[in-house]
Amino acid sequence: MEKKYFAYGKTETDYLTERDPVLGAAIARIGHIDREVIPNLFTALVNSIAGQQISGKALATVWARLCDRLGEITPETILAAGEDGLRACGMSGRKAGYMLAAAHAVQDGTINIHSLVDKSDDEIIKTLTALPGVGRWTAEMLLIFSLERPDVLAFDDFGIRKGLCRLYGLEELTRVQFEEYRARYAPYATVAGLYLWEVAAQKKDG
């Protein structure tokens, strides 16, 4: 299957550069970023659960195992795998339980996952956080990496906070400061976030 990447272009980067020259300099230095998205909402939800509190590299490893074992990631294949099958792919017992709960909720109609595309960001977060083990960060990752919503910046993401601190020379980041940056980046905070992740991931000079 052909890979799909978060879609953005000159409109977003020009706007962010005008609003914030410091971020603009990082955008010019880094260039275009290809971040893969997962259009299937249930698959993306399972991926977000798998990615909780682990590095991107660790997620890539366990996700590859899961895909190899199950093939397509659907409620049916998750339920068929069961806790033992999911744990064999490297999931903790807790994450396996969250994935199974999500699969049950989608399969029995507790959550109509396909209807999420028509909901607002806040409505989606409220719907998904009703599931066991799905917090705001997990829901926000779905907004970004499946629905490609343009104005999402996750305060609970360590990489985002690290990128902000590194870019602006901050020792620490308060919630008030975060909200100021988030308002500055609106309505293209998601694209700003892609660059903040990249800034966080890059080695410091020297």
Side-chain angles (χ1 to χ4, degrees), residues 17 20-33 167-168 192 195-196 198-199 202:
T17 298
D20 191 315
V22 175
L23 177 61
I27 291 171
R29 182 179 74 251
I30 293 166
H32 190 84
I33 295 172
L167 190 63
Y168 299 105
Y195 285 95
L196 293 171
E198 192 67 22
V199 168
Q202 291 178 341

Side-chain angles (χ1 to χ4, degrees), residues 29 43 88 91 119 125 140 150 163:
R29 182 179 74 251
T43 305
M91 303 300 164
K119 295 181 182 292
I125 290 169
E140 286 172 330

Side-chain angles (χ1 to χ4, degrees), residues 22-86:
V22 175
L23 177 61
I27 291 171
R29 182 179 74 251
I30 293 166
H32 190 84
I33 295 172
D34 285 331
R35 284 298 295 261
E36 192 172 349
V37 297
I38 303 173
N40 183 282
L41 283 162
F42 181 76
T43 305
L45 177 58
V46 174
N47 181 267
S48 293
I49 293 171
Q52 292 172 356
Q53 297 182 321
I54 61 174
S55 69
K57 187 175 181 180
L59 172 59
T61 299
V62 297
W63 188 248
R65 287 182 196 151
L66 193 67
C67 291
D68 285 345
R69 186 182 182 96
L70 303 188
E72 194 176 1
I73 309 297
T74 67
E76 292 73 27
T77 60
I78 291 290
L79 292 171
E83 183 177 341
D84 289 343
L86 297 174

